Amino acid sequence: PRRIVFVVVGDAREGRFVPREIAIGRQAADMVEVLAGLGAHDVVVTSGAFLIAAQARVLALKLRSTALQAGQRVVPRQRS
């Protein structure tokens, strides 16, 4: 399964986040080893990620609807 985390972009108070796919390793209690996908100084969302993901899906649907209404061709995103 794909593992996605949200990383803070710029000032956390601005509320801008980007999704990042990560590879995980060992897990113990509430700790997870991240093998790839994050930098040493990246700030990861640890609470509220579900709400961020839901908001991103709603925004994507609105953008798609607006594009379709404007007669633009909408191509589905390829999943890897």
Side-chain angles (χ1 to χ4, degrees):
R2 294 176 69 197
R3 308 281 186 191
I4 305 292
V5 299
F6 288 93
V7 176
V8 176
V9 176
D11 187 340
R13 293 173 292 194
E14 293 176 9
R16 292 185 16 211
F17 311 96
V18 294
R20 293 261 183 89
E21 187 166 359
I22 61 168
I24 63 171
R26 298 173 289 181
Q27 300 178 46
D30 62 345
M31 305 282 287
V32 177
E33 178 183 29
V34 177
L35 302 174
L38 292 176
H41 300 287
D42 287 339
V43 177
V44 176
V45 172
T46 59
S47 178
F50 176 80
L51 294 174
I52 294 169
Q55 184 179 17
R57 284 191 293 275
V58 168
L59 180 58
L61 288 172
K62 285 181 181 178
L63 292 173
R64 179 182 172 88
S65 176
T66 301
L68 290 172
Q69 289 174 359
Q72 297 174 353
R73 183 170 176 246
V74 177
V75 178
R77 186 176 74 114
Q78 296 292 325
R79 293 194 180 245
S80 51

